């Protein structure tokens, strides 16, 4: 829906139809929301009729490669999708209180009670 734009490092930024490129200096994480992940599973990016989607997927990869080529020490690179085992790399970098409140509605002394 437009050019890339910065978002808050917050769990509210994780939405189904977005791709996030997160640079925390020591980690470069590309996170694909639920809808994007489903389109990848259906291989829409391989269909010539969906060339825009293929380009949308390629843009954060190219940005990440540029960062990786110039950063020292080299950050850890994670390319993940909603629900996969590596998506926790993205979720752990988010503001934890908001994530905890969204999961449980209960925060006690900064600890997650149930999520």
């Amino acid at each position: 829906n437009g050019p890339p734009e910065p978002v808050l490092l917050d769990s509210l930024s994780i939405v189904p139809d977005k791709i996030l490129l997160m640079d925390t200096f020591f980690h470069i994480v590309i996170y694909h929301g639920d809808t994007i992940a489903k389109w990848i599973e259906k291989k829409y990016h391989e269909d010539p009729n969906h060339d825009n989607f293929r380009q949308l997927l390629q843009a954060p990869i190219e940005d990440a490669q540029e960062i990786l080529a110039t950063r020292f020490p080299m950050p850890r690179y994670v390319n993940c999708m909603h629900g996969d085992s590596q998506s926790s790399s993205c979720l752990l970098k988010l503001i934890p209180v908001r994530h905890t409140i969204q999961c449980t509605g209960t925060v006690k002394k900064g600890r997650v009670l149930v999520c």
Side-chain angles (χ1 to χ4, degrees), residues 32-102:
H32 300 88
D34 189 35
T35 302
I36 303 291
K38 288 176 182 173
W39 291 346
I40 292 171
E41 288 174 10
K42 292 181 180 181
K43 302 192 183 297
Y44 286 165
H45 59 292
E46 295 177 3
D47 183 344
N49 295 324
H50 294 100
D51 191 50
N52 288 341
F53 182 59
R54 183 188 57 75
Q55 292 173 12
L56 180 71
L57 293 177
Q58 190 61 35
I61 294 170
E62 291 171 359
D63 291 343
Q65 289 173 344
E66 185 177 317
I67 294 167
L68 291 167
T70 59
R71 177 81 45 87
F72 183 82
M74 181 178 274
R76 180 171 177 238
Y77 173 68
V78 179
N79 192 343
C80 60
M81 289 190 260
H82 174 79
D84 73 9
S85 62
Q86 291 192 337
S87 66
S88 63
S89 296
C90 180
L91 297 175
L92 291 174
K93 307 286 185 279
L94 300 175
I95 296 173
V97 172
R98 287 202 187 216
H99 184 68
T100 303
I101 290 170
Q102 273 193 321

Side-chain angles (χ1 to χ4, degrees), residues 95-101 104 106-114:
I95 296 173
V97 172
R98 287 202 187 216
H99 184 68
T100 303
I101 290 170
T104 65
T106 309
V107 177
K108 190 171 186 176
K109 295 183 182 176
R111 286 183 266 165
V112 177
L113 298 179
V114 178

